[in-house]
Amino acid sequence: MTDAIARRAEAERKLERVRALARLWDEAITIPVLGIKIGLDAVVGLVPGAGDLVGLAVSLYPIAAAVALRAGPSIVARMGWNVLVDAVIGAIPILGDLFDVAWRANSRNRDLLERWARDPNRVERRSGAVLLLIGGGAIGLAAGLVWLAVRAVELVLR
């Protein structure tokens, strides 16, 4: 029994670190009048190149915590997706900085991990469905791009 209690205490410590990171990185400062919360991610992201790399590195911690807590592969993949979207779109000058304020990958991953800790099976199923939709969308997008490329080549050759 003490082993289970120790594991639960360690899991709660990891979750609390993820919560603290999300607060600091995504929600540390409230902009007066607007009521919009920003964190270090938005500020550090203003430094071209290096800021986005630092943000990416920090955003890997919640994923590592999920792996250590033995969250299922669909949870870890969905968390990875959140970070990937943040990193790719966040790297676009100016637009990416605005996107960072709205997307908040660390807060999304914190919320996902907390929901998983409360009800693992439900969140695993839902994350699997989300990943299937993302995969289907990616396949559809790729097929559309191939079709456009073929049409473009046909037009050029005519």
Side-chain angles (χ1 to χ4, degrees), residues 8 15 19 110-123:
R8 183 67 197 149
L15 281 170
R19 288 181 195 113
R110 172 203 56 213
D111 295 346
L112 182 60
L113 198 54
E114 286 180 338
R115 285 192 310 270
W116 171 81
R118 284 190 307 270
D119 190 357
N121 292 330
R122 180 171 180 254
V123 176

Side-chain angles (χ1 to χ4, degrees), residues 43-56:
V43 176
V44 171
L46 294 173
V47 178
D52 295 320
L53 288 175
V54 170
L56 174 62

Side-chain angles (χ1 to χ4, degrees), residues 127-137:
S127 291
V130 167
L131 290 172
L132 281 174
L133 286 172
I134 291 169

Side-chain angles (χ1 to χ4, degrees), residues 16-104:
E16 187 50 45
R17 278 179 265 183
V18 169
R19 288 181 195 113
L21 181 135
R23 276 190 307 271
L24 178 65
W25 214 245
D26 291 345
E27 307 164 345
I29 304 163
T30 301
I31 298 174
V33 180
L34 298 176
I36 297 171
K37 291 186 176 198
I38 64 169
L40 290 180
D41 190 26
V43 176
V44 171
L46 294 173
V47 178
D52 295 320
L53 288 175
V54 170
L56 174 62
V58 169
S59 294
L60 294 176
Y61 178 78
I63 297 172
V67 169
L69 292 170
R70 295 191 175 112
S74 65
I75 301 296
V76 174
R78 193 165 161 198
M79 292 173 79
W81 172 257
N82 289 337
V83 171
L84 178 66
V85 167
D86 186 46
V88 170
I89 297 177
I92 300 169
I94 301 168
L95 173 67
D97 298 320
L98 295 173
F99 181 79
D100 278 343
V101 172
W103 184 253
R104 301 178 190 193

